[in-house]
Amino acid sequence: MDFINVALPKGRLGEKVYAMFEQSGFECPSIKENNRKLIFENAEKGVRYFWVKPSDVAIYVERGAADIGVAGKDIILEYSPDVYELLDLDIGKCRMAVAAKKGFKDDTSRTLKVATKFSNIAAKYYGEKCRDIDIIHLNGSIEIAPILGLSDVIVDIVETGKTLLENDLMPYETIVPISARLISNKSSYKFKQDKIDLITKCLSEIVRNK
Ligand code: PRP
């Protein structure tokens, strides 16, 4: 039987995603064994799961190493992978926002310094507003940038708002709401369409009945 290869985002979101696949009837009991293995399969169901770094899911799917996977809308918008977006799983919900120190006022006579992991999203957002910016690309702990004067604002994910609050920052604008999406490799979708459609349908029932 043809296996469906599924890239799952490692971590808290991935566990929720796997639970949805399990509930859909595509369980793989060995995944629950607490070890460091990264690949698990259930031959009877014809499904194989890989745990990958959340930001890498779209790469595995785009290149066909995985047929389907679950990636955040943030990653999809930032990297524009050449994949099909099949379903909003309505989990991993947060928003992409602009944040800055309390009392921040944008001085439009100056170039705005923006620190972010999401350079493309930031460039597009400010490009549409015709606001001149200087992007400072960072890989994490973005919240530190305005505190140390490295940037005026940050463009980052806000979920509960706790990280901003604890670092004396405030959200000022919402760029886009984010949630986890089921994505598919384009040629896998052609050759394994029946099974991918079945998985999508089962998952969408779970989303609907949540
Ligand atoms: C994200 C984001 C914020 C935090 C926001 O980081 O970059 O730091 O979550 O969550 P909150 O609003 O609930 O506090 P993440 O933990 O995904 O990892 P990162 O440090 O690699 O960005």
Side-chain angles (χ1 to χ4, degrees):
M1 190 212 290
D2 236 1
F3 270 88
I4 286 282
N5 296 302
V6 186
L8 295 176
K10 216 171 160 191
R12 209 158 42 95
L13 175 66
E15 316 229 317
K16 280 193 196 164
V17 172
Y18 171 71
M20 291 175 80
F21 275 84
E22 187 179 50
Q23 216 184 322
S24 298
F26 296 92
E27 73 279 3
C28 180
S30 58
I31 209 167
K32 298 224 164 135
E33 287 161 17
N34 197 7
N35 60 31
R36 292 185 168 252
K37 261 181 76 159
L38 298 170
I39 302 181
F40 300 88
E41 64 180 49
N42 179 347
E44 191 198 322
K45 297 281 171 163
V47 68
R48 185 180 291 125
Y49 292 101
F50 321 134
W51 289 121
V52 308
K53 204 175 148 136
S55 50
D56 290 340
V57 168
I59 300 173
Y60 283 83
V61 174
E62 182 176 36
R63 292 181 173 261
D67 299 305
I68 57 175
V70 173
K73 185 70 182 176
D74 51 332
I75 299 297
I76 297 171
L77 290 171
E78 179 63 19
Y79 299 104
S80 306
D82 189 19
V83 297
Y84 293 130
E85 193 179 313
L86 300 177
L87 182 67
D88 183 346
L89 294 175
D90 203 39
I91 55 173
K93 285 164 92 170
C94 51
R95 62 192 168 112
M96 186 66 63
V98 177
K101 285 202 282 195
K102 286 178 189 151
F104 165 75
K105 281 260 173 316
D106 188 3
D107 174 359
T108 50
S109 66
R110 287 175 49 240
T111 299
L112 185 71
K113 287 189 280 178
V114 182
T116 188
K117 261 202 295 201
F118 301 95
S119 298
N120 294 325
I121 293 175
K124 181 164 177 277
Y125 178 67
Y126 285 105
E128 282 165 5
K129 288 158 76 102
C130 298
R131 179 72 175 97
D132 248 353
I133 61 165
D134 174 14
I135 293 183
I136 301 156
H137 189 93
L138 298 176
N139 297 300
S141 300
I142 319 291
E143 291 83 2
I144 292 179
I147 298 166
L148 300 182
L150 180 64
S151 74
D152 302 306
V153 300
I154 63 172
V155 165
D156 200 11
I157 298 236
V158 178
E159 192 183 344
T160 59
K162 212 167 161 226
T163 310
L164 292 181
L165 199 68
E166 292 191 359
N167 289 290
D168 290 322
L169 301 178
M170 275 188 41
Y172 282 89
E173 294 152 60
T174 293
I175 299 180
V176 65
I178 303 291
S179 57
R181 308 296 163 102
L182 178 69
I183 57 174
S184 170
N185 172 270
K186 288 190 168 173
S187 76
S188 299
Y189 191 72
K190 201 149 128 202
F191 295 111
K192 301 182 182 178
Q193 187 177 358
D194 288 353
K195 196 150 179 191
I196 294 176
D197 278 346
L198 175 65
I199 294 172
T200 309
K201 189 168 157 274
C202 294
L203 290 172
S204 67
E205 295 275 302
I206 292 171
V207 172
R208 206 164 333 126
N209 296 323
K210 225 169 45 156

